[in-house]
Amino acid sequence: MSRLPIRLRLSAAFAVALVLVLVVAALFVYLRLEENLDDSVNSGLAARARTVETLVGDGSATLPPGIAGEAEEGFAQVVGADGELVESVGGARGPVLSAAELERARGGRLVVERTVPGVDGRTRVLARPSGSLVVVIGESLEDRDDALSALARSFAVGGPIAVAVASLVGYALASVALRPVEAMRRRAEQVSLAPDEPLLPLPPVNDEIRRLGVTLNEMLDRLRRSFERERQFVADASHELRTPVSVIKAELEGALRSGDFGPDVRDALVAALSECDQLALLAEDLLVLTAAGEGRLPVRAEDIPADELLDQLRDRFSDRAAHAGRRIVVTADEGLLIRADPLLLRQALGNLVDNSLRHGAGEIRVRAGARDDGLVLEVTDAGPGFGPELARTAFERFTRGDEARTRGGSGLGLAIVRAIAEAHGGSAEIEPDGLPATVRLRLPSSLSVRSQVRGLTSGTQARRTPTT
């Protein structure tokens, strides 16, 4: 019962209550009707008995046939002191009472019910003394029983119909009563923590449902204020991080280019520079996540040559790749233009390359190509790839594999990649159970255009530039 929807539960409870009411009402009506019919029969018997007594007292020789009613429905008899019938009219054939019953009747009023030959159905018999005689009056109970049976059939047929109709009406009333709750539920599916989003709709009547809606709106307002404070804190902290990190990175790069140090110092500078890159990425990631969490990640789209985008990406990570003894190979369709936000797209690709440098192995390949369903950007390396468990949650925030926990990282990189792809109307995916490890960005075709270079249709040639 608890698994049924609340509307069905309310309708079922209403139906059960209605059944109980109908049963009690039917029993009450049946018993009252039976009592009234019995009173009517008894009153008729008593009146006819008085009439017979009057006729016998007047010394009438015979009883009129009408005194017994219709022949099949009643009779009237006068029994003498010796037990013999003095007079009999109606449908009864022979004496109706036994000797013992006559003896009881001489002592007072006697009422019995039995089957009387010549009278339809069961018969109620009234016997009462009248001097030395006994007056016996009988009336068939067939009409009375038919009326009670008809009433019972009416309740048996009409009751279920009434319950069914009332249940439908109850379901409709429950639906109407729960309509404000459904409206709040539909709005709750779309509600966000943005401060300008509308709250839950409230019914006009000040009842329990409205008070529930008011309470939920107050709770939502508290959550929004708390979220806004946290968001503002993250945004402020991210902005504050960017300047000192940029300064430290510039100083480290200058020291690294001077070359006036031993190999151990170079290793330390490269490691510090790598950590600065990670801090810079973290600051940018936090800013992107803050905007994406509000559902307002701004996209300033412009046409970006795919080859220039990948060349810049390669140059950005060339020092780290060379220090790790690895290389980055970029491949782009000839003349491919990508219409996207350059800063966001560079950040997404930078996160993927950074992940490959940290957790992958071998050559890193970055590809950009147009497909029938849009634009595809892939970053591939020869690392162990993503396990089934990690692949399912890799794009969630702060998700890291066991090995990644020992190599640093915030667990935000792939979450940023997905947020940026979705902001452009695309998606991000991991090649399932695939080696080499591949992460793919798909952007809609409306964000990519193919240009013609020297009269050649783009896509027929590819450009490949390795980092040595």
Side-chain angles (χ1 to χ4, degrees):
M1 184 71 174
S2 60
R3 295 184 180 180
L4 293 176
I6 188 171
R7 297 179 186 178
L8 290 180
R9 279 186 280 167
L10 289 174
S11 300
F14 181 74
V16 170
L18 181 60
V19 167
L20 294 177
V21 170
L22 286 178
V23 168
V24 173
L27 183 60
F28 175 78
V29 172
Y30 185 90
L31 294 177
R32 285 302 305 268
L33 179 61
E34 183 182 37
E35 182 181 0
N36 290 337
L37 291 176
D38 285 341
D39 289 342
S40 177
V41 171
N42 293 335
S43 297
L45 290 174
R48 288 156 59 189
R50 287 193 297 270
T51 302
V52 171
E53 289 175 358
T54 301
L55 293 174
V56 172
D58 291 342
S60 300
T62 58
L63 297 177
I67 197 67
E70 296 184 10
E72 295 83 4
E73 296 184 357
F75 63 89
Q77 294 180 343
V78 178
V79 182
D82 56 359
E84 296 295 329
L85 283 178
V86 175
E87 190 69 32
S88 178
V89 295
R93 296 191 292 269
V96 175
L97 299 180
S98 64
E101 289 171 338
L102 282 173
E103 190 62 31
R104 290 170 54 194
R106 289 190 179 95
R109 182 174 178 273
L110 173 67
V111 178
V112 294
E113 290 184 8
R114 63 180 50 168
T115 301
V116 176
V119 179
D120 295 337
R122 290 183 59 81
T123 304
R124 178 168 296 173
V125 179
L126 170 64
R128 52 195 286 180
S130 177
S132 62
L133 304 176
V134 175
V135 176
V136 181
I137 305 297
E139 183 175 346
S140 172
L141 297 179
E142 186 176 33
D143 292 342
R144 171 253 196 191
D145 293 340
D146 289 343
L148 293 176
S149 298
L151 178 65
R153 286 193 299 269
S154 297
F155 278 116
V157 174
I161 296 176
V163 171
V165 172
S167 297
L168 294 177
V169 173
Y171 184 85
L173 292 176
S175 300
V176 173
L178 293 174
R179 190 174 297 165
V181 178
E182 180 64 17
M184 287 191 288
R185 184 198 65 80
R186 287 195 300 266
R187 181 67 193 93
E189 289 180 340
Q190 304 171 356
V191 75
S192 69
L193 294 179
D196 55 347
E197 285 287 326
L199 298 174
L200 302 181
L202 301 176
V205 181
N206 187 19
D207 56 4
E208 291 81 359
I209 295 179
R210 180 182 177 88
R211 290 194 290 272
L212 173 63
V214 170
T215 302
L216 293 178
N217 282 338
E218 291 175 350
M219 179 185 69
L220 182 59
D221 186 61
R222 291 194 299 270
L223 290 175
R224 284 177 173 176
R225 291 198 299 269
S226 176
F227 174 77
E228 180 63 22
R229 288 194 298 268
E230 296 296 329
R231 186 203 62 78
Q232 191 62 44
F233 170 76
V234 172
D236 293 344
S238 301
H239 279 294
E240 293 297 326
L241 279 174
R242 298 178 74 180
T243 299
V245 168
S246 298
V247 172
I248 294 173
K249 182 178 180 181
E251 295 293 334
L252 289 174
E253 288 176 343
L256 191 61
R257 290 192 185 96
S258 69
D260 188 16
F261 44 75
D264 292 339
V265 175
R266 175 180 175 82
D267 292 341
L269 290 175
V270 170
L273 188 60
S274 175
E275 292 302 320
C276 281
D277 285 337
Q278 182 63 22
L279 282 174
L281 283 175
L282 177 59
E284 294 176 359
D285 289 350
L286 289 174
L287 287 173
V288 171
L289 283 178
T290 301
E294 295 177 338
R296 298 181 301 186
L297 184 60
V299 175
R300 299 176 177 87
E302 60 184 68
D303 293 340
I304 311 168
D307 52 357
E308 293 182 10
L309 175 68
L310 298 191
D311 285 344
Q312 293 172 0
L313 180 69
R314 178 200 61 204
D315 295 341
R316 176 183 174 186
F317 291 94
S318 60
D319 288 340
R320 286 180 58 188
H323 180 74
R326 300 169 65 184
R327 67 173 185 165
I328 302 174
V329 177
V330 296
T331 304
D333 287 356
E334 186 73 20
L336 178 64
L337 293 179
I338 305 172
R339 185 161 186 79
D341 189 308
L343 295 179
L344 293 179
L345 197 55
R346 289 190 188 103
Q347 185 177 359
L349 293 175
N351 284 353
L352 295 180
V353 173
D354 179 73
N355 281 346
S356 293
L357 286 173
R358 286 179 173 275
H359 312 300
E363 184 180 78
I364 299 174
R365 295 180 177 271
V366 184
R367 302 183 184 90
R371 301 293 185 267
D372 292 338
D373 57 348
L375 176 73
V376 174
L377 296 167
E378 290 183 349
V379 177
T380 304
D381 64 66
F386 297 83
E389 292 295 330
L390 181 59
R392 284 194 292 269
T393 59
F395 290 106
E396 301 295 332
R397 300 181 185 183
F398 303 107
T399 298
R400 294 183 293 173
D402 294 336
E403 183 180 357
R405 298 179 189 277
T406 63
R407 296 189 181 183
S410 63
L412 295 176
L414 291 180
I416 294 296
V417 171
R418 182 175 67 174
I420 293 174
E422 291 178 349
H424 286 81
S427 62
E429 61 187 36
I430 295 173
E431 188 69 27
D433 300 327
L435 289 177
T438 301
V439 181
R440 183 177 299 111
L441 273 73
R442 295 186 181 273
L443 301 180
S445 56
S446 60
L447 294 178
S448 64
V449 296
R450 306 289 293 274
S451 65
Q452 291 189 353
V453 180
R454 296 185 180 91
L456 295 177
T457 302
S458 64
T460 58
Q461 299 179 358
R463 178 178 172 279
R464 175 177 171 138
T465 306
T467 297
T468 58

